[in-house]
Amino acid sequence: MIADLGWCVNSYGQIEYLVGDILWHAWDMPEYKDIKIQLPMGLDRRVKELRKIISMSGPLRPYAEDLDLLMKRLDELSEPRHLFVHGHTTFLHTPSGDAAFLFRRFIPPEKGGEWQRYEGLVRPAQLREARQLWCIFASTAQRIFGGIYVDLG
């Protein structure tokens, strides 16, 4: 279970780096140099910057559809990742061999809202499935970004 959890977190990190890296390269391009900012730390802020760039006229515009689909999928998969890395984890097991992770996390409020406390069980089969999804997603992201790098030199 721990290995599956590690694969999920690592796959997210791969994508977080790739989004930052494409921003880094984009800001060196004449079309985007005027909007250069300090590289955002959080993936959500990096995605916001990338969405801004792909909406503009420039070398990354032809890749907007693929990158937008990638970022939408990332939005869907981000909540489990937040639970995995920002929560408290307890390993539960029974004498019969059943096991699960119990995750607890405080969820920040939307503007004007209240903090929420979340608890959820994740069983081994769920983590295996999450690992497969994240690894496929990370591999797809690497192919998309790699293709952009090859095309743009």
Side-chain angles (χ1 to χ4, degrees):
M1 284 181 67
I2 291 172
D4 291 330
L5 183 61
W7 276 99
C8 293
V9 172
N10 182 60
S11 294
Y12 186 92
Q14 296 293 318
I15 297 164
E16 184 173 27
Y17 177 83
L18 289 170
V19 172
D21 193 56
I22 198 110
L23 289 172
W24 188 272
H25 288 289
W27 289 327
D28 281 340
M29 298 174 188
E31 296 85 355
Y32 308 119
K33 67 178 172 132
D34 291 339
I35 62 165
K36 183 177 181 177
I37 63 170
Q38 184 173 347
L39 185 64
M41 285 299 295
L43 183 57
D44 56 337
R45 289 184 289 170
R46 289 181 185 185
V47 165
K48 182 179 175 182
E49 289 301 312
L50 185 54
R51 281 192 165 121
K52 183 188 329 178
I53 284 175
I54 64 174
S55 71
M56 299 171 61
S57 178
L60 292 178
R61 183 73 179 135
Y63 307 98
E65 186 176 337
D66 285 344
L67 290 170
D68 190 55
L69 286 171
L70 192 83
M71 290 182 283
K72 284 178 182 173
R73 183 68 174 137
L74 187 59
D75 287 342
E76 294 168 6
L77 292 173
S78 286
E79 193 51 44
R81 180 264 179 194
H82 289 310
L83 185 63
F84 295 163
V85 299
H86 297 300
H88 178 269
T89 308
T90 303
F91 182 71
L92 306 173
H93 58 92
T94 65
S96 65
D98 195 16
F101 280 128
L102 171 63
F103 291 98
R104 296 183 181 110
R105 177 174 183 255
F106 291 104
I107 302 171
E110 297 292 325
K111 290 184 179 180
E114 299 278 327
W115 280 83
Q116 307 252 336
R117 184 171 179 220
Y118 173 85
E119 290 188 2
L121 283 174
V122 178
R123 300 198 169 277
Q126 292 170 296
L127 266 180
R128 278 192 302 276
E129 182 179 334
R131 174 185 177 167
Q132 289 173 341
L133 288 172
W134 270 103
C135 288
I136 290 167
F137 182 53
S139 178
T140 301
Q142 289 171 351
R143 280 195 306 279
I144 290 170
F145 283 96
I148 293 170
Y149 292 143
V150 167
D151 289 349
L152 297 180

